[in-house]
Amino acid sequence: MAVTDAEINTAVAVTGRFENAGDPWRGVTGDFDGMGISCGVLQWNIGSASLQPLVLAVGKPVVLREAPTIGAQLWQACNSGVAQGLATVRQWQTGAQLKAVPKKELAALMGSPEMKAQQFSRIKVVAAKADALATAWALAAGRPARSLQELIWFFDLVTQNGSLKGLDHDDVTQFIKTSTPGKADDVVCDWLLAAPAAWWGRVDCIKNAGLWRDKVAAADLELFVLSYLRASLSSAKARGVVMNRKGALAFRKGWINGQLFDFSGQF
C-alpha cells in the first residue's frame, strides 16, 4: 500500500514530538550538536547543509516577511559556505541556546505555509523509504501489508538512524527462538536496567525496563526485539535513546527524553 498524506502527518505528529515540544513543524533548537541551528520536523540544519535548500526554495521575500529581524542574515548565511553560515547563526545564541527573537522568527518561518510545503515535499521522500522498508518487513513476517505502527517505526528509523544495518526478520525470529521460552522481552529489559551511566537516556532506560517487562503483546514482540537489535548496533552512547524511541513505538508507550509518551490511541 502506498503511503498516504494522512499517514505521513501521523508519523510527523508522533516522532516529531520526541525532539520538539508543541508543533514539530515549527521546532527550532540551537547549536547543541555543532550543527548551528536545527529547524523543523526533521531538524534540518546549517552544519549538514540540509536547511539551506529549504530556505532558498521558499525565497527571500518569505524569509524577510517571517523573520524581519534576522531574515537578511539568514538569507546570506544560506547563500554562503557552511563555515560562514555557522558563524552567522551562532551569533544569535548564548552558548547553545537561541535568543528569544531569533527563536521566535525561525519558528515563524518554519511554520509558514510556504516552508511547511517545502518540508512536506522532503518528508514524502523519507516516508516513501520508510514505507518500502515497512512493507518488506511485513512480507517477511508473512503478512500482506504493513501497519501504520510499522510505517511510523520505520519512519523514525530512516530519519534518526538511516537503516537497519543489515538486520532482517530472520535475526529477530532467531533471537526470540534462542532466548529462554517467553523471555525475549526480559533479556531486553535486563539490558536496559544495566544501562551504563554514559548512555544518553539512561534514566528513561531504567523506567522503560519496568514499564515494558512482561507486558509486551505477542503481536508486538517482533518489532520490540527489532528495536533492541537495532539499538545494539548504534554508537555506544546512543544505544539507550535509540531503544527508548523504537521500543516506545513497538510497545505504544514509553519514556523518551524524560517524558512518558502513550500512543495506544493513535496506532
Side-chain angles (χ1 to χ4, degrees):
M1 58 186 287
V3 62
T4 67
D5 287 358
E7 288 177 321
I8 294 173
N9 283 321
T10 300
V12 167
V14 170
T15 64
R17 290 170 58 199
F18 299 161
E19 302 294 336
N20 302 307
D23 184 354
W25 299 94
R26 295 167 56 91
V28 177
T29 55
D31 195 23
F32 71 97
D33 56 0
M35 294 292 103
I37 54 173
S38 298
C39 306
V41 173
L42 300 187
Q43 292 289 277
W44 289 281
N45 58 75
I46 292 289
S48 70
S50 58
L51 178 61
Q52 289 91 319
L54 275 76
V55 173
L56 298 178
V58 298
K60 190 173 183 178
V62 173
V63 174
L64 296 179
R65 184 192 74 204
E66 300 296 337
T69 307
I70 66 165
Q73 292 180 325
L74 177 62
W75 185 256
Q76 183 60 41
C78 291
N79 280 279
S80 306
V82 168
Q84 182 57 50
L86 287 171
T88 297
V89 302
R90 284 169 177 160
Q91 296 175 16
W92 307 337
Q93 306 178 50
T94 301
Q97 297 295 317
L98 279 159
K99 298 175 183 177
V101 171
K103 185 173 183 178
K104 179 181 178 181
E105 293 190 356
L106 286 169
L109 174 61
M110 298 309 295
S112 67
E114 297 89 345
M115 186 60 89
K116 286 183 72 172
Q118 289 298 322
Q119 291 191 65
F120 195 79
S121 69
R122 287 157 174 79
I123 291 168
K124 287 184 77 170
V125 175
V126 173
K129 293 179 181 178
D131 179 50
L133 289 170
T135 298
W137 169 261
L139 290 173
R143 289 177 283 104
R146 52 88 179 153
S147 65
L148 177 59
Q149 177 193 30
E150 289 165 333
L151 174 69
I152 294 171
W153 192 99
F154 280 97
F155 182 83
D156 195 61
L157 175 79
V158 173
T159 58
Q160 295 294 316
N161 316 108
S163 72
L164 285 174
K165 286 195 170 183
L167 292 170
D168 59 24
H169 188 262
D170 287 342
D171 295 311
V172 170
T173 55
Q174 182 65 19
F175 180 87
I176 294 172
K177 180 180 178 180
T178 56
S179 299
T180 302
K183 297 296 182 180
D185 61 318
D186 286 335
V187 174
V188 177
C189 290
D190 287 343
W191 178 76
L192 285 169
L193 203 58
W199 279 14
W200 298 327
R202 177 177 179 269
V203 173
D204 292 328
C205 289
I206 294 170
K207 290 181 178 179
N208 283 330
L211 177 66
W212 296 337
R213 189 181 295 277
D214 298 326
K215 298 183 184 70
V216 180
D220 298 328
L221 181 60
E222 289 187 348
L223 198 59
F224 184 78
V225 168
L226 182 62
S227 302
Y228 162 73
L229 294 177
R230 180 57 184 85
S232 300
L233 296 178
S234 301
S235 63
K237 287 185 177 181
R239 289 171 187 168
V241 73
V242 172
M243 182 61 204
N244 292 336
R245 290 178 71 116
K246 302 300 182 290
L249 294 173
F251 187 77
R252 297 183 177 83
K253 187 175 183 180
W255 288 90
I256 305 167
N257 297 334
Q259 183 177 348
L260 180 62
F261 292 87
D262 189 342
F263 307 115
S264 55
Q266 292 181 262
F267 56 81

